[in-house]
Amino acid sequence: MEKLTVGLLLLSVLSGSMSQTDMKGKAFIFPEESSTAYVSLIPKVSKSLQNFTLCLKAFTDLSRPYSIFSYNTRTKDNEILLFVETIGEYMFYVGNSGVIFKAPTNHFDPVHICVSWESDSGMAEFWLNGKPLGRKGLKKGYTVGGDAKIILGQEQDSYGGSFDAKQSFVGEMWDVSLWDHVVPLEKVSDNCNSSNLINWQALIHEENGYVVTKPKLWT
Ligand SMILES: *[C@@H]1O[C@H](CO)[C@@H](O)[C@H](O)[C@H]1NC(C)=O
Ligand SMILES: *[C@@H]1O[C@H](CO)[C@@H](O)[C@H](O)[C@H]1NC(C)=O
């Protein structure tokens, strides 16, 4: 099954509908509010998840709600979702259930977000800029579906669509990493190249609408 998926993936990469890129040192810029600009990320392996870790860096000056990372399956809205409701309130969803992590943030600094989730205990652990914001529990015993659309820049209300400009991300995003296991977050720092599902240095993705890739502004 995995061989087949990898084969199909290779075919799509070769046929040019997707590209695999070393994004080291680069960022995606979402330059304006829209319901059409997004980046679709394709994991190296499509598999269901009992544990995962997601890390990314972002800069925005939005004060309205916006989506950071949207992972939907055909059957589940908000299967994994990182969403900012108001400044400093990070909503983290698994299987369409959410918890909030509150952070005192400086509005105009870029953020380094890392969150992990473990099915056995339901524990979600959230780190912001290298500091833990504590642990909360959700969806204990749940398994996240594998056949997903993973989207940066927009919040999905269906599988790969139903975007709302008023929830779109405007700003810059880089170093997006997804692991199929819980990574000790105190050790992540800048070593994101171990990520096995989404790897910034071998990023399989598809850009849609007004998205610009440029060298990142922040380290
Ligand atoms: C998920 O993590 C738990 C330990 O936290 C482990 O027992 C389990 O095997 C892991 N599941 C998978 C699919 O890796
Ligand atoms: C990062 O990982 C990718 C994919 O595994 C690999 O191609 C690349 O050489 C790695 N880069 C470094 C600096 O380790």
Side-chain angles (χ1 to χ4, degrees):
M1 213 28 218
E2 282 193 3
K3 267 188 188 139
L4 185 63
T5 316
V6 170
L8 286 174
L9 200 58
L10 251 180
L11 247 173
S12 333
V13 169
L14 292 177
S15 70
S17 60
M18 284 185 252
S19 57
Q20 177 170 318
T21 314
D22 181 355
M23 289 287 290
K24 189 175 166 69
K26 294 182 185 151
F28 289 128
I29 306 173
F30 301 91
E32 63 178 19
E33 180 170 300
S34 81
S35 61
T36 51
Y38 64 96
V39 174
S40 184
L41 301 180
I42 293 90
K44 289 189 172 180
V45 181
S46 176
K47 64 192 284 198
S48 56
L49 299 170
Q50 282 173 10
N51 312 298
F52 66 84
T53 303
L54 167 68
C55 289
L56 56 85
K57 294 175 187 165
F59 174 84
T60 180
D61 60 7
L62 288 172
S63 48
R64 61 160 172 76
Y66 60 91
S67 177
I68 300 177
F69 182 94
S70 172
Y71 177 120
N72 271 21
T73 59
R74 282 179 203 282
T75 52
K76 200 74 154 204
D77 194 25
N78 307 334
E79 184 71 304
I80 302 175
L81 175 66
L82 254 182
F83 191 86
V84 171
E85 192 61 52
T86 57
I87 294 167
E89 289 198 5
Y90 293 91
M91 317 271 304
F92 174 60
Y93 290 82
V94 173
N96 207 20
S97 291
V99 288
I100 301 183
F101 290 93
K102 291 188 185 166
T105 56
N106 182 340
H107 191 180
F108 296 112
D109 281 340
V111 288
H112 181 191
I113 297 170
C114 277
V115 61
S116 65
W117 178 78
E118 177 189 75
S119 176
D120 273 5
S121 62
M123 281 296 99
E125 184 173 324
F126 198 102
W127 286 57
L128 189 73
N129 300 332
K131 293 191 184 116
L133 291 184
R135 288 172 275 203
K136 293 194 172 169
L138 78 168
K139 286 299 209 182
K140 186 173 172 339
Y142 186 71
T143 299
V144 168
D147 179 22
K149 292 278 188 198
I150 306 177
I151 294 203
L152 306 178
Q154 302 287 339
E155 203 274 312
Q156 308 173 70
D157 281 330
S158 63
Y159 183 68
S162 305
F163 304 141
D164 174 357
K166 289 293 169 206
Q167 299 184 327
S168 68
F169 178 83
V170 183
E172 317 196 0
M173 210 176 277
W174 63 101
D175 289 356
V176 181
S177 310
L178 183 66
W179 291 258
D180 66 355
H181 53 276
V182 171
V183 178
L185 293 182
E186 61 276 17
K187 287 189 191 150
V188 170
S189 64
D190 273 329
N191 179 25
C192 289
N193 209 34
S194 63
S195 56
N196 56 355
L197 294 182
I198 294 173
N199 188 310
W200 197 245
Q201 292 180 35
L203 192 70
I204 307 165
H205 70 286
E206 192 178 23
E207 294 172 31
N208 297 271
Y210 189 23
V211 179
V212 176
T213 301
K214 288 280 186 198
K216 63 182 182 182
L217 285 181
W218 294 273
T219 52

